[in-house]
Amino acid sequence: MSIKYIFCISTGRSGTAYLSKLLSQLDNCSAYHEQKPVLHNEIMRDYLDGNEEKLKKELLKKLEYIRNNQNAIYADTSHVFIKSFGWEIPKHIPQNEIGVVILKRDKEKVVQSTQRVHSGPFTYLGKKWILIPYKNAIIKPPINYYIFHFYRYLLKLYWLYKDETNSIVKTYPKFFRKKSIQLINWYYDEIYALGAKFKKTFPKITYVDLNLEDLNTIEGFETIIQTFKLNEYYDKEAVKSVIGTVSNLKSEF
């Protein structure tokens, strides 16, 4: 039996939008990148801290959309999956119908890219999307929860002094840029530690481990096709037109 629902475990800045673009070339496939409701930001943080009610309530909206999908395959490559709603999905959809792509990119490139587009843990954007120190972390963060929030308080005072409180782009002193890089490195490791825990928790799900470089080849993408048994939906020529194209290339701002 072929896989009906495809999700992704990733840090972000690792090719998730590109993966969605590739999957959209399959016949009879609805492929999305961060399909709403996204279930990130405060809902994600509350869930990770053990407060699950808000996420479970909002998840019902996502599940309704998934179940109303008219195509044979539904794919959502959101990297929020492993940080929130992914842990609830197998409670509503049979594991043997789910496929998960564990997508990796070189760690240093992920760190540099995340920092470059101002998505680090001290930024407004980063707070919405990536992990910050939390009490149930698998890997001990380099800065604990209380120190992290103390640093954020100091930054707010600094931005007030610089008259940047309401600015989209804010100044980050060298000390905080260094701490940000340390936390992004931890975030990378924590995501894949969560991924390993997810695989043990849901062993009947089908998994594919790929690097971003693999997705830049037909052979790499065909690993997904073969593992998920999607041959009947696979149009090689359509996929060839997308292989190697750049997606979600954000500029520094």
Side-chain angles (χ1 to χ4, degrees), residues 27 31 38 64 78 84 88 109 119 152 158 165 186 202 246:
D27 295 333
V38 179
E64 182 179 5
S78 172
S84 71
E88 298 298 320
K109 290 180 180 178
S119 293
R152 280 193 61 83
Y158 177 79
T165 300
W186 163 77
F202 305 110
V246 177

Side-chain angles (χ1 to χ4, degrees), residues 76 106 141:
D76 181 356
D106 177 77

Side-chain angles (χ1 to χ4, degrees), residues 115-118 250-253:
Q115 188 80 345
R116 177 179 63 81
V117 300
H118 294 238
K250 297 176 182 176
S251 299
E252 183 173 1
F253 56 89

Side-chain angles (χ1 to χ4, degrees), residues 39 55-63 85 88 92:
L39 304 177
L55 184 137
K56 288 181 177 180
K57 183 177 179 180
E58 289 298 309
L59 179 64
L60 296 177
K61 300 175 184 178
K62 185 181 280 287
L63 288 168
F85 68 92
E88 298 298 320
H92 300 273

Side-chain angles (χ1 to χ4, degrees), residues 26-90:
L26 300 179
D27 295 333
N28 215 6
C29 176
S30 299
Y32 305 95
H33 177 237
E34 297 163 4
Q35 174 64 34
K36 295 180 180 179
V38 179
L39 304 177
H40 63 338
N41 207 0
E42 295 304 323
I43 289 178
M44 175 182 79
R45 302 199 185 290
D46 286 347
Y47 184 80
L48 288 170
D49 283 333
N51 305 314
E52 303 177 356
E53 289 185 14
K54 289 182 181 178
L55 184 137
K56 288 181 177 180
K57 183 177 179 180
E58 289 298 309
L59 179 64
L60 296 177
K61 300 175 184 178
K62 185 181 280 287
L63 288 168
E64 182 179 5
Y65 192 89
I66 292 172
R67 287 168 177 155
N68 289 336
N69 173 53
Q70 299 298 309
N71 287 324
I73 309 165
Y74 172 92
D76 181 356
T77 62
S78 172
H79 61 87
V80 177
F81 176 83
I82 192 60
K83 293 171 277 192
S84 71
F85 68 92
W87 298 90
E88 298 298 320
I89 287 289

Side-chain angles (χ1 to χ4, degrees), residues 9-10 14 102-106 110 188 192 209-213:
I9 292 174
S10 175
S14 299
I102 301 175
L103 183 60
K104 287 187 176 182
R105 184 186 182 193
D106 177 77
V110 171
Y188 182 100
Y192 294 111
D209 290 270
L210 288 173
N211 293 315
L212 179 56
E213 291 77 10

Side-chain angles (χ1 to χ4, degrees), residues 9-251:
I9 292 174
S10 175
T11 58
R13 310 307 303 156
S14 299
T16 52
Y18 173 53
L19 174 60
S20 175
K21 194 173 180 180
L22 288 169
L23 292 170
S24 71
Q25 304 307 307
L26 300 179
D27 295 333
N28 215 6
C29 176
S30 299
Y32 305 95
H33 177 237
E34 297 163 4
Q35 174 64 34
K36 295 180 180 179
V38 179
L39 304 177
H40 63 338
N41 207 0
E42 295 304 323
I43 289 178
M44 175 182 79
R45 302 199 185 290
D46 286 347
Y47 184 80
L48 288 170
D49 283 333
N51 305 314
E52 303 177 356
E53 289 185 14
K54 289 182 181 178
L55 184 137
K56 288 181 177 180
K57 183 177 179 180
E58 289 298 309
L59 179 64
L60 296 177
K61 300 175 184 178
K62 185 181 280 287
L63 288 168
E64 182 179 5
Y65 192 89
I66 292 172
R67 287 168 177 155
N68 289 336
N69 173 53
Q70 299 298 309
N71 287 324
I73 309 165
Y74 172 92
D76 181 356
T77 62
S78 172
H79 61 87
V80 177
F81 176 83
I82 192 60
K83 293 171 277 192
S84 71
F85 68 92
W87 298 90
E88 298 298 320
I89 287 289
K91 299 175 185 178
H92 300 273
I93 298 173
Q95 290 187 44
N96 63 359
E97 295 181 2
I98 301 173
V100 173
V101 179
I102 301 175
L103 183 60
K104 287 187 176 182
R105 184 186 182 193
D106 177 77
K107 183 178 182 180
E108 185 176 347
K109 290 180 180 178
V110 171
V111 173
Q112 290 175 351
S113 180
T114 304
Q115 188 80 345
R116 177 179 63 81
V117 300
H118 294 238
S119 293
F122 293 114
T123 69
Y124 171 75
L125 189 62
K127 188 181 177 184
K128 291 172 66 176
W129 292 98
I130 75 170
L131 298 180
I132 60 174
Y134 66 106
K135 65 182 181 182
N136 295 320
I138 297 173
I139 298 173
K140 184 179 179 181
I143 303 169
N144 70 38
Y145 175 87
Y146 299 103
I147 295 296
F148 173 80
H149 285 281
F150 174 67
Y151 285 165
R152 280 193 61 83
Y153 175 75
L154 292 180
L155 270 174
K156 288 179 180 179
L157 292 178
Y158 177 79
W159 293 329
L160 181 65
Y161 168 75
K162 296 281 288 185
D163 196 25
E164 294 180 352
T165 300
N166 297 317
S167 299
I168 296 175
V169 178
K170 294 177 170 62
T171 304
Y172 290 85
K174 185 176 180 180
F175 172 83
F176 289 102
R177 291 199 299 271
K178 181 179 178 181
K179 294 299 179 183
S180 177
I181 289 172
Q182 290 177 349
L183 283 168
I184 299 169
N185 273 281
W186 163 77
Y187 164 65
Y188 182 100
D189 294 336
E190 179 71 8
I191 286 296
Y192 294 111
L194 285 168
K197 180 180 177 181
F198 188 89
K199 287 180 75 173
K200 289 182 179 179
T201 306
F202 305 110
K204 294 181 181 179
I205 288 176
T206 303
Y207 298 92
V208 175
D209 290 270
L210 288 173
N211 293 315
L212 179 56
E213 291 77 10
D214 298 327
L215 282 184
N216 285 322
T217 68
I218 283 289
E219 293 77 15
F221 183 71
E222 286 179 345
T223 303
I224 295 175
I225 300 301
Q226 293 159 8
T227 305
F228 294 167
K229 300 178 181 178
L230 303 175
N231 298 79
E232 64 180 299
Y233 308 110
Y234 179 46
D235 183 342
K236 188 172 184 176
E237 293 306 313
V239 171
K240 273 186 177 181
S241 68
V242 178
I243 284 286
T245 59
V246 177
S247 296
N248 200 25
L249 182 61
K250 297 176 182 176
S251 299

